[in-house]
Amino acid sequence: MTDAPRILMCRPDCYGIEYEINPWMNRERQVDHDRAIRQWEGLRAILESIGVQIELVEPQAGLPDLVFTANAALIFGQKCVLSQFRHAQRQGEEPHFAAALRSRNLEIVTLPEDLYFEGAGDALFCGETLFGGYRIRSTALALQRVGALISREVIPLELVDPRFYHLDTCFCPLSPERAIWFPPAFDAYGQDVIRSNVPSLIEIDETEAAAFGANAVVVGQHVVTNTGCPKLHENLRTSGFEPIETPLGEFVRAGGSAKCLTLRLDGEDAANWNLVS
Ligand code: ARG
C-alpha cells in the first residue's frame, strides 16, 4: 500500500484583496468572506474524498495571500527549496511557510538572497524534467539554481502575459508525458520547447484559461479545477482522466485557483518517481 498524498493548505480566515500585485486583483472588488470559506472547504472536501491527507498552516492577519500555499516552496523528495517572493507584500509569508515546512522534517535549502523564486507556482515537474516559469515572478537564474540544488534538468520558460504570471496558471503536468497548457502565455520559443518536450498536450482556450482551468490539482487520474472549463473537462475525460469541478471564483479575484491553494508535501508526483539522486 502506498502512503496517502499529503497536501498543505491554509484556511482563508485572513484572506482578502489588500493590495494589487497582478492584473486580477482590484481592491474595489473585495472577497465575499463566507463564500471564500465555503469554496475553500469545498476544495478541501473533494481532495479528502480522493484520498488526500490535508495538513494546515496557520492563517496570519496581514498576509492575505498565505492561502496560496503552492508558492511556499518547491518540494522534491525530502528536499525543500524555500521561496523568495518578488513583491514586498508577500515576503512576510516566508518565515511562516519556512516554519511549517521545517517542522515537517524536510531538508530545507535556500537560494542566494538576490534571486526571486515563487515555489511550486513557477516550478513544475513533468516526468524527470523541471519546467520553470520566469520573468514575471521568479528569476531565470533562480530556476537554474533550483535545478542544480536538486540535480535535475530545468527547462526555463519565459512568461509573456501578465494575467498568467505564474507557470501554474498556464501549464499543468498530468503525467510524465502529458500536460494541459495555454500556448499564448509563452513566447514562440517557449511554445516550441514545450511542444518538443511534452509528447501529448491538451490545449485550453482563452476563456477557460481565464477561468484558471490550467490551475488544476492532479492526484492520480483525478484533475480538480474551478468551474467554467467544460471543454477542458471533456478533453480530460477523452484522455482517461476524471475531472472534478468546484467553484473557486473568490480566489480568482486574487489571481489564484485550485492548484495555487495547495502544495504537495510528498513532492508533486512523488509516488511515481524514481528518486535516484
Ligand atoms: N495574489 C497572489 C499573487 O499574486 C496569487 C498567487 C497565486 N498562486 C499561484 N501559485 N499561481 O502572488
Side-chain angles (χ1 to χ4, degrees), residues 8 10-11 17 24 28 37 108 130 136 141 154 184 204 213 220 242 252 260 264:
L8 186 71
C10 174
R11 280 180 60 84
I17 312 297
W24 305 91
E28 276 152 34
I37 300 268
I108 306 285
L130 186 64
I136 304 182
L141 187 56
V154 177
I204 183 169
E242 286 180 48
V252 172
C260 305
R264 269 297 274 268

Side-chain angles (χ1 to χ4, degrees), residues 139-212:
T139 32
L141 187 56
L143 301 171
Q144 299 300 352
R145 291 292 182 102
V146 170
L149 284 168
I150 62 172
S151 309
R152 279 294 175 278
E153 190 191 344
V154 177
I155 298 190
L157 301 162
E158 182 169 344
L159 301 177
V160 299
D161 183 334
R163 291 173 304 162
F164 303 102
Y165 56 92
H166 277 139
L167 184 63
D168 70 0
T169 63
C170 49
F171 181 75
C172 175
L174 294 163
S175 73
E177 302 82 36
R178 204 185 283 262
I180 303 168
W181 74 320
F182 178 57
F186 303 92
D187 62 6
Y189 179 73
Q191 293 179 18
D192 284 349
V193 168
I194 291 177
R195 282 197 188 93
S196 47
N197 283 278
V198 186
S200 175
L201 287 163
I202 298 182
E203 193 171 319
I204 183 169
D205 69 18
E206 173 136 26
T207 308
E208 298 196 0
F212 278 76

Side-chain angles (χ1 to χ4, degrees), residues 5-20:
R6 293 163 54 221
I7 284 182
L8 186 71
M9 295 181 75
C10 174
R11 280 180 60 84
D13 297 357
C14 303
Y15 169 64
I17 312 297
E18 295 180 16
Y19 46 77
E20 295 166 11

Side-chain angles (χ1 to χ4, degrees), residues 61-92:
L63 296 175
D65 279 341
L66 200 68
V67 292
F68 298 115
T69 52
N71 296 124
L74 173 72
I75 296 177
F76 176 72
Q78 280 304 109
K79 271 201 184 138
C80 171
V81 187
L82 293 179
S83 291
Q84 299 183 164
F85 287 93
R86 179 174 292 267
H87 295 286
Q89 292 94 328
R90 293 201 67 184
Q91 286 166 0

